[in-house]
Amino acid sequence: MSTFGQRTGTASGKVILLGEHAVVYGVPALAVGIDRGARATSTPLAAGPSRLRVRGWEVEVTEEDASNDLGRAFAALLVAVRAHTHKIAPAQVLVEAETDLPPGGGLGCSAAIGVAVARAIVGDPSPEQLTAFVSAWEKVFHGNPSGVDAAVCARGGCVAFERREGMAHIEPVAVKGGLTLCVGNSGIASSTKSMVESVARLAERRPEVVRKAWEGIRALVRNARFAIEDGDRFSLGRLMDLNQMLLSGLFLSTPEIEAMCESARGASALGAKLTGAGGGGSVVALVNGLSGAERVLAAWRKEGFTGFATRVAVSGDVQLARAAGGST
Ligand code: MEV
């Protein structure tokens, strides 16, 4: 008989403000938790195998399901949990998860589910434990991720993340005056793994081009952090625009992303860029409060793109008000 009861875990989604891709190569990134995310509930089972069900996606896997990424990721997370010498979780569990983040949308959908699942299974893991459990999960989906998604989904708020010598360095960044963002869906799901691989191929063929892009992004991220701490949204927007130019130069943008950035700027956004892996996925626009958000969302709607407004959220602060995977 298990001594563990039913548990629930939540995690926020994330938006990278500046520094995606470069962060894989050791450049710092700035990212925020948003008020959409994932929730999971775990119930101890008397007998195995453990099962994971994602509501809304109508998917159920077991830890023995090696035929798909979700099953392998679940198994990897459980292996990492069980590697702990202290018994911190029931031997077998049924986990039911749900998310309102679009998969392949660049908003940390897999990391948010991973964090919520780990919290539901383990209860209150330490930050180090959570990192170990979720990085085992994320590696299945993304190969060798920087860890920025999991770090931000676990903590929320605004963070500066840097991977140095294989170690994650995470610093909370104080946001003066708050940030209102619009997140738009380009309508095309993208794979982080294949976009990261495409940059790696470019870095092999044209190392100088990629190295210069990383140098530029490093300078933009440094200045963006000052702008966030000073409440200088005008400068932050300009820096996001410049980051978008450098990402386009690495072939990470698409015509849809460019059109969305243009129309957001035309509708008074202070800056706009792709967020996450690119090649599809989402666009983030920095706007002036809720009235600015309405203008940008209306401009996107007119061009057939969906989106939503969000403010920086802490990790537990996820309402999941909307339908799984949907954006309004
Ligand atoms: C994906 O959200 C962010 C990337 O920088 C990949 C990573 O950091 O692992 C593209």
Side-chain angles (χ1 to χ4, degrees):
M1 175 102 175
S2 175
T3 53
F4 299 98
Q6 196 176 61
R7 285 170 175 157
T8 296
T10 60
S12 59
K14 68 97 204 350
V15 164
I16 298 181
L17 295 176
L18 287 98
E20 51 274 273
H21 285 287
V23 69
V24 175
Y25 294 78
V27 174
L30 287 164
V32 295
I34 60 172
D35 57 8
R36 293 187 173 205
R39 181 190 300 125
T41 303
S42 93
T43 311
L45 290 176
S50 291
R51 305 204 307 272
L52 169 64
R53 190 177 292 157
V54 185
R55 260 192 240 136
W57 295 1
E58 313 317 333
V59 177
E60 180 167 327
V61 294
T62 77
E63 61 180 313
E64 292 169 355
D65 236 327
S67 66
N68 63 74
D69 278 357
L70 192 63
R72 282 196 297 275
F74 185 46
L77 187 148
L78 288 170
V79 166
V81 169
R82 289 173 188 147
H84 275 259
T85 43
H86 301 292
K87 199 166 153 41
I88 53 176
Q92 271 91 29
V93 282
L94 165 66
V95 184
E96 295 192 86
E98 60 184 323
T99 180
D100 56 2
L101 300 168
L107 304 180
C109 179
S110 68
I113 298 178
V115 170
V117 167
R119 283 183 170 147
I121 294 173
V122 176
D124 193 16
S126 67
E128 293 72 29
Q129 287 172 339
L130 193 58
T131 302
F133 305 155
V134 181
S135 65
W137 160 282
E138 282 281 271
K139 275 187 183 143
V140 174
F141 295 106
H142 303 312
N144 187 20
S146 65
V148 62
D149 290 13
V152 182
C153 292
R155 283 168 184 75
C158 181
V159 301
F161 177 97
E162 186 177 351
R163 191 164 78 169
R164 247 184 282 133
E165 287 150 17
M167 294 285 292
H169 298 264
I170 301 157
E171 284 177 35
V173 175
V175 180
K176 189 170 171 193
L179 293 177
T180 307
L181 304 168
C182 283
V183 179
N185 189 337
S186 73
I188 299 158
S190 86
S191 152
T192 300
K193 195 173 181 178
S194 53
M195 296 316 292
V196 169
E197 282 168 2
S198 82
V199 173
R201 279 194 300 275
L202 185 64
E204 253 176 46
R205 282 201 323 273
R206 312 282 301 274
E208 207 39 26
V209 169
V210 176
R211 196 184 59 74
K212 286 206 169 109
W214 297 162
E215 267 174 29
I217 291 172
R218 184 184 289 280
L220 298 179
V221 169
R222 191 177 46 233
N223 291 347
R225 180 166 178 176
F226 293 139
I228 292 170
E229 289 169 340
D230 284 352
D232 180 355
R233 291 194 297 275
F234 181 77
S235 297
L236 177 60
R238 285 290 300 138
L239 294 162
M240 288 167 66
D241 286 342
L242 293 170
N243 193 170
Q244 171 63 17
M245 268 176 49
L246 292 175
L247 292 169
S248 298
L250 300 177
F251 309 103
L252 293 164
S253 195
T254 65
E256 291 79 11
I257 290 171
E258 293 300 325
M260 293 180 81
C261 290
E262 269 309 304
S263 83
R265 290 180 199 122
S268 79
L270 302 167
K273 60 182 276 294
L274 68 83
T275 184
S282 298
V283 164
V284 58
L286 178 66
V287 296
N288 252 329
L290 278 182
S291 60
E294 273 159 25
R295 290 175 69 171
V296 168
L297 294 177
W300 283 344
R301 257 196 315 273
K302 220 166 134 190
E303 294 182 18
F305 297 111
T306 57
F308 60 91
T310 186
R311 288 178 65 81
V312 178
V314 296
S315 186
D317 198 10
V318 171
Q319 305 300 327
L320 289 194
R322 299 145 194 102
S327 61
T328 50

